[in-house]
Amino acid sequence: MRTTGVTARGIVTPIFQQGDDLVTAVTQSVCRAAENERFPLHDRDIVAVTEAVVGRTQGNYATCEQIAKDICNKLGEGPIGILFPILSRNRFGILLRAMTMASPEGVVVQLSYPSDEVGNALLSWDTLDEKGVDPYRESFDYEGFRKVFGNNTVHPFTGMDYIEYYRTFAPNTRVIFSNDPSYILQYTNKVIACDIHTRARTKRILRAKGASVLGMDDIMTASVDGSGYNAQYGILGSNKATEDKVKLFPHDCDEFVHKLQDALLAATGKHMEVMVYGDGCFKDPVGGIWELADPVVSPAYTEGLEGTPNELKMKYFADNDLRDLSGAALAQAMREKIRAKDHDLKGQMASQGTTPRRFTDLLGSLCDLTSGSGDRGTPVVLVQGYFTNFASED
């Protein structure tokens, strides 16, 4: 009888660089871990690889100069509005440098408030209430914002004042504050919409008002002077690599996951599932930060990871239908309930309180937390037992 359910192991790998054979290295790392630590591999195990090492081995990089050139080619000359960027040195600071290079005439950065799209706060809601400010109706220039709210806008985790940080990228950078995307049109009609998950709506609103608009997903969609690119996401999902270069979100990930699946089958005889993952999609309860700064959790995965869980709520049955049972009888009755469950429990009381999210979004969060984002050295995660339940026999 099984005594464990889902397990997630961070797999130690080599440090990957551009041009490395990632498929071979990941396959060898998984097999070496299983051999050295004496655990078996199974069909339907999941091997997840972080997008960072996929992009690194692809050499999917772009310099600020290349990004600036693409912006100039697509927006032309004149001051540029930079709308709804997130507050991040790693994710956005270097992109702002490229955008200021594309507009010597100056840039206007419009920040949402009291927080950015992913929850990095400039202000607390209590502060807004204290000042009597409705963030859905009121907009501010820099001086007006400081007059009302003062200078206490330091990020609680990073210690950065992002308002002042973003003002340093060019001497003619203006910072304004509004949750109305149209507010920026008072300053310029050439806009880069820098929001991530709401970008389609933002672009639609501005284009309806006659603005020339790019999203970050419209920049670096093709190679510029030999750069990397991402045809679908552009510079969304990019990270700072050096002071003058970003690593873009990887491309051609579908090809990668299927090649790795084939390599794992050849090496182990097991048909495993494979995915590429980036940010998880969870929210920090203290800082209020929603982790997902990538455009998607998983840009590619094999077919066996399609779908959402279809689970019974065991404690619901233990408290209701099976409340008069205990011990072995309760366990056996619960297994029978699980084996007899409908193939689609959506909308049924039996599934209340379960998590109706996609497998890849759930797995991406699990893998992101397992691998970490610092010095663990485990950019590959092996997940086992994910598709088992209380009624599974092996």
Side-chain angles (χ1 to χ4, degrees):
M1 180 178 177
R2 293 182 316 110
T3 55
T4 61
V6 179
T7 61
R9 289 182 171 89
I11 304 297
V12 176
T13 70
I15 299 173
F16 296 111
Q17 296 285 30
Q18 182 174 343
D20 288 347
D21 182 349
L22 188 59
V23 168
T24 298
V26 170
T27 301
Q28 291 175 344
S29 296
V30 170
C31 291
R32 182 169 55 248
E35 181 180 356
N36 289 352
E37 300 191 12
R38 298 181 181 179
F39 59 82
L41 299 171
H42 311 93
D43 290 327
R44 300 209 78 191
D45 284 353
I46 301 161
V47 175
V49 182
T50 181
E51 60 82 21
V53 298
V54 181
R56 285 174 63 82
T57 55
Q58 289 176 343
N60 203 27
Y61 295 93
T63 66
C64 288
E65 184 177 359
Q66 290 164 336
I67 296 170
K69 183 175 181 179
D70 198 39
I71 293 170
C72 289
N73 289 339
K74 291 173 177 175
L75 274 185
E77 298 180 353
I80 293 174
I82 299 171
L83 181 61
F84 298 154
I86 65 171
L87 306 176
S88 171
R89 292 166 292 178
N90 174 49
R91 288 288 192 171
F92 191 75
I94 192 168
L95 298 178
L96 179 56
R97 177 176 289 114
M99 293 172 189
T100 60
M101 291 169 60
S103 180
E105 300 88 351
V107 298
V108 181
V109 180
Q110 180 173 319
L111 300 178
S112 56
Y113 77 100
S115 67
D116 68 11
E117 179 185 7
V118 295
N120 292 294
L122 291 172
L123 304 164
S124 70
W125 282 97
D126 289 337
T127 299
L128 294 183
D129 293 342
E130 177 187 332
K131 301 295 183 180
V133 172
D134 182 347
Y136 302 110
R137 294 180 179 272
E138 298 184 53
S139 303
F140 298 91
D141 61 13
Y142 174 81
E143 291 77 15
F145 187 87
R146 288 300 192 196
K147 183 177 180 180
V148 173
F149 297 111
N151 296 315
N152 188 24
T153 50
V154 174
H155 193 284
F157 286 176
T158 66
M160 293 290 298
D161 186 325
Y162 285 96
I163 299 172
E164 300 308 318
Y165 176 59
Y166 283 0
R167 291 179 77 209
T168 66
F169 281 86
N172 48 358
T173 299
R174 303 181 66 175
V175 180
I176 59 176
F177 305 84
S178 180
N179 293 307
D180 176 6
S182 303
Y183 182 64
I184 202 165
L185 300 182
Q186 298 180 27
Y187 298 84
T188 177
N189 70 343
K190 294 183 178 181
V191 180
I192 302 175
C194 298
D195 43 348
I196 304 164
H197 308 293
T198 56
R199 62 188 184 273
R201 175 178 182 268
T202 298
K203 289 192 282 187
R204 172 174 53 79
I205 290 171
L206 294 179
R207 285 171 179 160
K209 294 181 178 293
S212 297
V213 186
L214 294 178
M216 293 207 297
D217 54 334
D218 301 312
I219 301 168
M220 303 307 296
T221 53
S223 180
V224 175
D225 296 337
S227 72
Y229 67 95
N230 190 300
Q232 184 174 7
Y233 297 118
I235 56 175
L236 282 176
S238 61
N239 286 271
K240 180 178 180 179
T242 71
E243 293 302 319
D244 185 55
K245 184 167 65 174
V246 299
K247 180 199 68 61
L248 301 172
F249 214 48
H251 55 74
D252 299 321
C253 291
D254 281 325
E255 179 182 356
F256 168 74
V257 296
H258 287 97
K259 283 185 176 179
L260 180 54
Q261 185 180 53
D262 290 344
L264 289 164
L265 178 61
T268 67
K270 305 299 180 183
H271 183 83
M272 302 185 193
E273 304 299 339
V274 177
M275 65 180 287
V276 176
Y277 70 97
D279 282 341
C281 46
F282 47 86
K283 186 173 182 177
D284 177 80
V286 176
I289 299 170
W290 185 35
E291 176 68 12
L292 188 56
D294 286 330
V296 290
V297 174
S298 176
Y301 47 88
T302 51
E303 290 76 4
L305 297 180
E306 286 281 1
T308 59
N310 186 55
E311 299 176 346
L312 294 179
K313 194 71 171 180
M314 288 176 60
K315 65 182 182 182
Y316 172 79
F317 284 98
D319 287 341
N320 290 275
D321 300 40
L322 308 179
R323 63 183 178 274
D324 294 328
L325 301 177
S326 62
L330 174 59
Q332 181 58 31
M334 190 71 73
R335 291 189 180 97
E336 291 173 0
K337 284 282 189 185
I338 294 170
R339 291 178 183 131
K341 68 184 177 183
D342 290 346
H343 293 298
D344 184 1
L345 293 169
K346 184 176 180 179
Q348 296 187 34
M349 192 63 70
S351 64
Q352 64 175 332
T354 59
T355 306
R357 290 161 56 192
R358 295 182 299 180
F359 286 130
T360 51
D361 292 338
L362 294 163
L363 285 162
S365 294
L366 172 63
C367 293
D368 191 22
L369 290 167
T370 301
S371 61
S373 58
D375 58 8
R376 291 182 186 169
T378 55
V380 175
V381 176
L382 174 67
V383 181
Q384 298 184 297
Y386 192 78
F387 295 106
T388 62
N389 58 39
F390 187 68
S392 300
E393 296 180 357
D394 53 33

